Amino acid sequence: GRAYGTTETGGTVRLQHAGPLGRRFFTNTRLQLNFQESDRESEFELPTLRILDARTSGGAQQRGGRRSKGVNLMSDIDYVRGIHSFRTGVDLNATWVDTDEDSNYLGTYTFESIDAYVAGTPRSYTRRIGDPNISYDNVLGAVYVQDDIRIRKNLTISPGVRYELQTHVDDYNNFAPRIGVNWAPFKSGRTTVRASAGIFYDWLSMGTYEQTLRGDGFRQQELNIINPSFPDPGSEGIIPTTNQYRMGEDIALVHTRRLSAGVQQTVTPRIRVGATYAWTHFLDLLRGENLNAPINGVRPDPRFSNVIRAIDDAESKNHSLSTNMSISLGVPTPAMQQERWNWRRGSICPSYTLGKQRSNSDGAFSTPFTGSPEGEWGPSNNDTRHRLNVGLNTQALKNMNLSLSFNYNSANPYTIRTGYDDNADLIFNDRPAGVTRNTERGNGLMNISTNVSYTIPFGKRPAAAPPTGGGGTTVIHAGDMMIMRAAAPGGGSARYRINLSLGVNNLTNRVNHTGWNGTMTSPFFGQSTSVGAPRKLNFGVSFSF
């Protein structure tokens, strides 16, 4: 009964022009036009029946859709002179959105217990009323200039600066300088040291902006009937005060400061190892401020419940150490590539990341329980301390690619909450005394996935003979592997190809527990309330010419 379907359509048109401009300039311009449209429809148009801490049934109450159009223009100019390689460019992106997505338009009955449900005595009935139609646009713009300065054969310094603007954000001080260094200190060239420092900006999420339009307190409201009749609640009820969401007047783009340093070492022609440390400090993150919290039980503005304004005084501090290794089972040769079977055509790539992320905000409209962001410091919601990945890639069978990956992520944190609203602001984020944000963790997540593809080439592509009269060789770089594919003598490569592919996510169908409940009054306190994605198979066929 809770099922609903989504239909999505879309299209993209891309135009590109690239080529020399005079003797020293090179231009590359890309224009992309796209449109997306989606519609939702419930399988059954029925009210929702919710039994507290037990189950939810009835209709899904999902309808309406979203339509968006966009245009993206990017243009770069390269100029090389002496030890300098300059590049400058512009990036413009405009989007227009219309949406009438709607939910709970038939109402929701809430029962306090299973006995109340059997008796047909709901505690309340709520229904969303009003106009769900919303339209808005968004324009992003950026210009940049950078220079790769080759000081010596083994030393390159890359300074640059970028400037960004966005509609809906009255912040124009968005200059972002950055610099990178690439150094090979030894004659062998097997060791590479990289370091970078810079300032970066992130765009304001249009989901946040859209919530201020949808939740302005007037466009849509909630009808509430206490102790309604069932199954017909009637039409008499109250429209209680509703929340209002606003954007702060001087919102700035998220400002990121980042430092990183790493080393890459070629141990043998088949083995490479590396490590990178990064420190990232996010400033001007959004968090919620309640402008209408009760004072002695009375709201300053009686027209609304909570008035949540998004302001930008929150932060996040992240540290990470990433290590990686690449092991090629063999050094590819033209003869090896022509063999029907050779187990050496493959690689193993393990990696491990140790991270620590701390923040003092859970989102743009999340209000701090302590009243200020200073008292909200704790692990970030996505603070994954350990990440382990092992990938196996093989082309042992000619024309076949097989990859197998193992991924493990340690558990993300969750917050302990009392389940009570002690300050009567109708925001149930109260924590026990002395307990900070995100102090508990559930179980880690593990996943094994595989992808296999097989190509059937046929037909001859006419090709001119190489100047030497031989068959010629094509060099393809695939990550850390170099594959040398010999052309067929006198006949060129295949003209047509059929590619068959199969991908399996969560190959073992492992149950990964998520959604850990931190509410002390819940019967599911300290337990998982949902699971991650089950096993999923994707099969594809493509034809190329």
Side-chain angles (χ1 to χ4, degrees):
R2 297 285 291 167
Y4 70 95
T6 301
T7 302
E8 298 181 356
T9 59
T12 301
V13 177
R14 297 187 183 96
L15 302 174
Q16 180 172 355
H17 177 268
L21 183 64
R23 296 180 57 188
R24 296 185 179 273
F25 290 92
F26 187 90
T27 64
N28 187 3
T29 301
R30 291 88 70 197
L31 175 66
Q32 178 172 299
L33 310 175
N34 61 75
F35 73 91
Q36 300 289 332
E37 184 172 335
S38 65
D39 289 289
R40 303 183 302 178
E41 183 178 5
S42 297
E43 189 70 19
F44 301 97
E45 293 291 358
L46 297 170
T48 299
L49 309 179
R50 178 171 174 250
I51 306 173
L52 294 178
D53 294 326
R55 70 171 186 175
T56 300
S57 60
Q61 299 195 66
Q62 300 290 332
R63 68 180 180 186
R66 177 179 295 267
R67 290 150 293 281
S68 66
K69 297 177 292 185
V71 56
N72 177 234
L73 173 65
M74 300 180 67
S75 184
D76 306 308
I77 298 178
D78 293 304
Y79 174 70
V80 179
R81 190 174 186 88
I83 64 173
H84 298 275
S85 297
F86 293 99
R87 169 173 285 190
T88 184
V90 61
D91 182 3
L92 296 175
N93 198 326
T95 305
W96 296 265
V97 177
D98 294 290
T99 175
D100 60 352
E101 292 176 336
D102 201 7
S103 61
N104 199 31
Y105 48 87
L106 295 177
T108 297
Y109 290 96
T110 299
F111 298 86
E112 293 182 317
S113 64
I114 294 179
D115 292 338
Y117 170 72
V118 173
T121 56
R123 183 70 178 91
S124 68
Y125 172 83
T126 60
R127 179 164 59 90
R128 180 172 293 180
I129 59 177
D131 181 10
N133 289 278
I134 294 175
S135 299
Y136 61 90
D137 56 58
N138 182 45
V139 180
L140 315 173
V143 294
Y144 75 93
V145 60
Q146 68 182 50
D147 183 15
D148 293 331
I149 308 172
R150 193 171 186 180
I151 305 296
R152 292 195 298 269
K153 184 178 179 180
N154 64 340
L155 176 62
T156 301
I157 299 177
S158 303
V161 64
R162 182 180 175 96
Y163 179 72
E164 302 181 358
L165 288 174
Q166 180 180 8
T167 55
H168 314 299
V169 179
D170 295 330
D171 175 28
Y172 305 106
N173 186 24
N174 300 321
F175 289 94
R178 67 278 307 261
I179 187 171
V181 177
N182 193 323
W183 179 40
F186 307 117
K187 291 183 178 180
S188 66
R190 291 188 172 187
T191 304
T192 302
V193 178
R194 297 183 177 91
S196 66
I199 295 175
F200 306 86
Y201 289 93
D202 290 334
W203 306 117
L204 171 68
S205 167
M206 283 299 95
T208 299
Y209 178 72
E210 184 175 313
Q211 186 168 345
T212 65
L213 301 179
R214 192 179 299 278
D216 63 358
F218 300 100
R219 186 182 302 272
Q220 287 190 303
Q221 296 177 316
E222 198 85 359
L223 174 68
N224 189 14
I225 301 176
I226 305 299
N227 298 320
S229 57
F230 179 77
D232 181 7
S235 59
E236 296 297 326
I238 62 172
I239 299 178
T241 55
T242 186
N243 289 341
Q244 184 186 63
Y245 298 93
R246 302 178 182 176
M247 292 298 300
E249 297 178 356
D250 299 314
I251 291 294
L253 295 179
V254 174
H255 168 200
T256 305
R257 301 172 183 174
R258 189 176 189 273
L259 297 172
S260 69
V263 60
Q264 197 77 22
Q265 177 69 44
T266 300
V267 182
T268 72
R270 293 190 298 167
I271 301 177
R272 298 180 65 186
V273 296
T276 301
Y277 168 78
W279 170 84
T280 310
H281 187 188
F282 295 90
L283 298 166
D284 300 322
L285 289 178
L286 297 180
R287 60 97 175 176
E289 178 186 32
N290 192 353
L291 302 179
N292 207 38
I295 301 176
N296 297 324
V298 179
R299 301 274 187 183
D301 188 342
R303 297 176 303 167
F304 304 106
S305 182
N306 292 305
V307 176
I308 309 299
R309 180 175 65 175
I311 58 178
D312 59 359
D313 61 352
E315 303 177 48
S316 175
K317 299 178 180 180
N318 305 341
H319 300 266
S320 69
L321 176 63
S322 301
T323 60
N324 63 84
M325 174 182 290
S326 175
I327 305 173
S328 297
L329 302 181
V331 178
T333 64
M336 179 189 295
Q337 293 303 109
Q338 293 302 310
E339 294 176 354
R340 183 65 178 172
W341 169 268
N342 193 314
W343 66 271
R344 291 181 178 275
R345 289 196 299 253
S347 64
I348 301 174
C349 302
S351 65
Y352 170 74
T353 299
L354 174 65
K356 182 179 181 180
Q357 302 183 25
R358 290 177 58 81
S359 68
N360 56 3
S361 173
D362 287 330
F365 299 108
S366 176
T367 59
F369 164 64
T370 56
S372 67
E374 287 74 16
E376 297 298 301
W377 277 105
S380 302
N381 290 336
N382 57 347
D383 177 37
T384 304
R385 295 291 176 84
H386 306 278
R387 300 178 187 268
L388 175 64
N389 302 280
V390 180
L392 170 64
N393 302 280
T394 179
Q395 295 175 319
L397 180 64
K398 187 178 180 181
N399 296 331
M400 186 197 75
N401 290 278
L402 172 66
S403 66
L404 183 68
S405 63
F406 168 84
N407 302 286
Y408 171 78
N409 294 336
S410 61
N412 288 345
Y414 65 94
T415 301
I416 299 296
R417 304 194 185 280
T418 64
Y420 297 103
D421 180 23
D422 295 328
N423 57 1
D425 62 356
L426 299 182
I427 301 177
F428 289 82
N429 62 349
D430 301 52
R431 301 194 299 263
V435 175
T436 58
R437 287 176 53 250
N438 288 335
T439 55
E440 302 297 319
R441 295 178 186 264
N443 296 337
L445 308 178
M446 188 173 69
N447 183 31
I448 298 177
S449 300
T450 184
N451 288 277
V452 59
S453 65
Y454 186 77
T455 300
I456 305 173
F458 61 98
K460 296 287 188 179
R461 183 188 300 277
T468 60
T473 300
T474 299
V475 180
I476 303 172
H477 293 275
D480 293 325
M481 296 182 59
M482 182 177 69
I483 302 170
M484 302 170 66
R485 178 177 297 162
S493 60
R495 185 172 185 178
Y496 307 105
R497 294 175 183 274
I498 296 176
N499 188 71
L500 309 176
S501 63
L502 173 66
V504 185
N505 187 51
N506 197 358
L507 181 65
T508 61
N509 207 25
R510 173 184 170 86
V511 178
N512 286 303
H513 292 280
T514 60
W516 295 86
N517 190 317
T519 303
M520 300 176 67
T521 55
S522 170
F524 305 109
F525 172 63
Q527 301 180 33
S528 166
T529 59
S530 59
V531 296
R535 181 165 50 216
K536 181 180 180 180
L537 284 75
N538 292 291
F539 178 72
V541 180
S542 64
F543 174 72
S544 60
F545 57 93

